[in-house]
Amino acid sequence: MPLKISNGVEIADWQIELTAIRAQGAGGQNVNKVSSAIHLRFDVNRSTLPAFYKERLLQLSDARITSDGVIVLKAQNHRTQEKNRSDALERLKTLILSAVVVQKARRPTRATRNSQVRRVDKKTQRGATKNLRSKKIDY
């Protein structure tokens, strides 16, 4: 079953490589016998994603994306292999969708003249009270 990213974009099963591996961490004897963690590999360059998606993914500075353009995810949060598989696929989907979101351009703003004056006045007041506290009064 293909992974649906959006209305017109899907990733076929043959493009995603899922490997079952042993999970790390505590779990008793079961952790040594069962390969419940999932290792997901997805080659962005060889995929059928639209060019816009590929460009945006490869521009990300994410540790999960290798220099060759391969996304590597490891899912081991759940005890069952099926839940880890669906978790890995969901994380791949969110990574792709987050890369495609276009950030709103930042418009630089300036502080108003009045706010600048208020800030400087408060600083002078703080400095004056500090100055009074540090002076020693002799009687």
Side-chain angles (χ1 to χ4, degrees):
M1 191 168 107
L3 178 66
K4 187 170 183 165
I5 304 297
S6 65
N7 287 337
V9 180
E10 288 183 345
I11 300 174
D13 288 338
W14 62 268
Q15 297 176 29
I16 302 171
E17 181 185 328
L18 295 168
T19 311
I21 56 173
R22 290 189 178 152
Q24 293 176 316
Q29 293 178 359
N30 193 48
V31 78
N32 298 326
K33 297 185 292 185
V34 180
S35 297
S36 61
I38 293 292
H39 202 257
L40 180 142
R41 293 178 68 82
F42 176 69
D43 193 348
V44 177
N45 294 320
R46 291 183 48 219
S47 69
T48 57
L49 285 174
F52 174 70
Y53 281 67
K54 289 182 183 182
E55 289 171 16
R56 295 298 298 252
L57 273 171
L58 295 174
Q59 285 175 355
L60 284 179
S61 58
D62 197 318
R64 298 173 290 185
I65 302 174
T66 65
S67 58
D68 301 333
V70 178
I71 297 174
V72 179
L73 298 173
K74 183 177 181 183
Q76 60 179 4
N77 293 335
H78 304 284
R79 286 180 63 92
T80 62
Q81 196 177 90
E82 293 79 27
K83 284 185 181 179
N84 282 328
R85 178 178 285 122
S86 62
D87 180 39
L89 292 172
E90 192 61 35
R91 284 170 41 199
L92 175 65
K93 180 179 176 179
T94 55
L95 178 67
I96 293 171
L97 287 175
S98 68
V100 178
V101 173
V102 178
Q103 293 289 327
K104 187 178 173 183
R106 184 188 176 279
R107 289 178 39 215
T109 57
R110 293 190 59 173
T112 61
R113 174 95 176 117
N114 200 19
S115 69
Q116 289 175 349
V117 169
R118 281 194 310 258
R119 184 179 64 85
V120 172
D121 287 346
K122 282 184 181 179
K123 286 178 75 166
T124 54
Q125 284 178 358
R126 281 196 308 269
T129 56
K130 256 188 183 176
N131 200 10
L132 286 176
R133 273 190 254 139
S134 64
K135 287 186 178 175
K136 214 175 195 182
I137 300 173
D138 292 329
Y139 291 103

